[in-house]
Amino acid sequence: MASIAKRDDGRWRARYRDDAGKEHAQHFTRKVDAQRWLDSVASSQLRGDYVDPKLAKATVNAWCETWLAGYRSRRPRTVRQAEVHLKLICREFGPVPLSALRPSNVRAWTAKLKAEGRADSYVYALHSRLSQIMSDAVHDGVIARNPCSRRTSPRTGSQRPYVATTEQIWALHDAVPPAMSASILLGAFVGLRLAEVAALRVSDVDFMRGVVTPAIQWPANPLKSETSRTAVPIPNDLALLLAECWKGNLARGFVLDEYANPANPWTIQRGMRDARAKVRGLPPEFRFQDLRHYFASLLIADGLDVKVVQARLRHASAKTTLDVYGHLWPDRDEVSRAAVSAAIAARPQISCGLFAD
């Protein structure tokens, strides 16, 4: 419902009610301007991109607080990462109204982040986070469109991880404190993530059947996804090595610190950081996650296809596996040549001439 009325002071008052029944009004010197304003509101309502004028004035700071409040139901580590991202976003755009944020502002911001020396992958992650919160603002009716798009997106950065050699893996295993040696085995030969290793219980390992089934991550949180609960088969010799690491200590799990208490992720990382300096050729930035990369490379080098590797790494989709490890699959040039050659060899012996005799 909309109307235009002339006030006693000669100005024209245009007003309308939105779908929620809330009244909005503006005053104009000319009636034609009032009508034009109402027409633009009606058009936006018909297009489905109508935004409450007062909501559109909300700042990036205010919206980030609202957005984060609804995001806190996720895993603590995921929330902490979002908080770090939002801190950088608000540092740049905090007092800016959501409706005033333009694609040019986004592009300038990503260029600035890159000039500060931040990695391409991190700049890409920050842009993705900004796009996420702005997309939710569109969905909530706070703004009409998202200023982030493919045209504003920076490069994703290199996805090729460092892959250690088998010799380096065993040297690392021997260099960590004995109570932590199981962490190297579980990372490099089972593909468990750091938080999963720290929380792995003896009951999660079937030594007789040779199966590891992660159930929780440190300290006792749900796993990253339902796919992460997928059981990983292990050979008998690895089961024997894990049993030796456990040594019957049912209450304490697999990985212990220097005081014989369950080792948390930070303790394991610290032990690995000290040990990697003793291993020739390992880069200074080598992390526990790189043990999973070694595990993936081991499976790929043995000829396993992408679906099997996806299952062993417990990825939600084969796309994730290919995005990270696609370059590790060997080229099949000779195989493809042989396939085409076989088809040519099977060709009937007929003339290639255009005209028959």
Side-chain angles (χ1 to χ4, degrees):
M1 178 180 177
S3 64
I4 300 177
K6 191 172 185 179
R7 294 168 51 90
D8 294 340
D9 60 3
R11 291 169 60 82
W12 295 90
R13 182 173 186 264
R15 62 178 180 172
Y16 69 92
R17 291 186 181 274
D18 59 25
D19 293 339
K22 184 178 180 181
E23 184 178 285
H24 304 272
Q26 277 200 31
H27 298 85
F28 301 88
T29 302
R30 301 186 306 165
K31 183 178 182 180
V32 66
D33 295 331
Q35 186 61 56
R36 187 177 293 117
W37 179 68
L38 288 179
D39 290 343
S40 67
V41 170
S43 296
S44 65
Q45 289 175 328
L46 288 173
R47 290 193 305 268
D49 59 5
Y50 169 78
V51 174
D52 185 329
K54 292 184 178 178
L55 288 178
K57 295 179 181 178
T59 64
V60 173
N61 267 334
W63 175 247
C64 283
E65 290 181 8
T66 301
W67 183 88
L68 189 58
Y71 196 74
R72 291 193 181 280
S73 59
R74 310 210 176 192
R75 296 183 300 121
R77 184 178 177 183
T78 303
V79 174
R80 285 196 300 272
Q81 185 183 57
E83 289 173 339
V84 172
H85 290 171
L86 292 186
K87 183 177 181 180
L88 291 172
I89 290 171
C90 290
R91 185 186 72 179
E92 183 71 19
F93 301 118
V96 177
L98 286 172
S99 58
L101 198 57
R102 298 287 182 264
S104 57
N105 304 133
V106 177
R107 283 193 293 268
W109 178 55
T110 56
K112 178 181 176 182
L113 290 170
K114 182 60 180 173
E116 291 175 353
R118 299 186 185 274
D120 288 342
S121 57
Y122 193 62
V123 176
Y124 180 83
L126 289 171
H127 177 274
S128 298
R129 182 71 69 184
L130 178 61
S131 181
Q132 180 184 20
I133 65 175
M134 298 304 284
S135 178
D136 286 349
V138 173
H139 184 71
D140 219 38
V142 178
I143 54 176
R145 57 183 58 85
N146 187 346
C148 301
S149 67
R150 289 184 179 179
R151 298 180 68 177
T152 64
S153 179
R155 297 192 315 169
T156 58
S158 174
Q159 295 295 313
R160 296 194 174 189
Y162 176 82
V163 178
T165 65
T166 299
E167 291 75 14
Q168 288 173 326
I169 292 297
W170 283 115
L172 189 65
H173 170 272
D174 295 339
V176 297
M180 290 188 186
S181 60
S183 65
I184 306 301
L185 298 175
L186 292 166
F189 300 122
V190 187
L192 298 193
R193 301 174 178 91
L194 177 59
E196 295 168 346
V197 168
L200 190 71
R201 302 163 299 190
V202 175
S203 59
D204 298 331
V205 181
D206 188 330
F207 295 98
M208 297 298 295
R209 293 175 54 241
V211 177
V212 176
T213 309
I216 57 172
Q217 61 179 342
W218 182 271
N221 295 323
L223 293 175
K224 184 178 181 180
S225 66
E226 188 60 32
T227 312
S228 297
R229 303 177 70 90
T230 304
V232 181
I234 61 173
N236 290 335
D237 44 3
L238 179 56
L240 290 174
L241 286 174
L242 290 175
E244 179 65 21
C245 292
W246 167 46
K247 293 181 179 178
N249 195 348
L250 183 62
R252 296 182 182 273
F254 284 96
V255 187
L256 307 179
D257 61 17
E258 57 186 318
Y259 304 108
N261 294 317
N264 59 44
W266 301 275
T267 301
I268 297 173
Q269 283 277 46
R270 186 171 61 249
M272 246 193 69
R273 187 168 59 246
D274 295 340
R276 76 186 174 203
K278 305 173 185 177
V279 179
R280 179 179 300 176
L282 276 187
E285 62 274 11
F286 190 84
R287 308 163 302 157
F288 192 90
Q289 179 69 11
D290 293 315
L291 297 177
R292 259 172 74 84
H293 301 330
Y294 168 80
F295 179 59
S297 72
L298 195 65
L299 301 180
I300 293 169
D302 206 47
L304 300 184
D305 63 47
V306 63
K307 292 301 292 182
V308 176
V309 176
Q310 173 201 346
R312 296 298 174 265
L313 291 172
R314 296 167 294 127
H315 283 157
S317 72
K319 181 181 183 301
T320 301
T321 308
L322 286 171
D323 285 347
V324 181
Y325 302 111
H327 66 287
L328 294 178
W329 265 275
D331 292 334
R332 300 295 185 182
D333 291 349
E334 292 306 318
V335 175
S336 63
R337 286 181 181 132
V340 175
S341 180
I344 292 174
R347 172 175 176 254
Q349 297 301 313
I350 61 174
S351 173
C352 290
L354 295 176
F355 304 99
D357 292 337

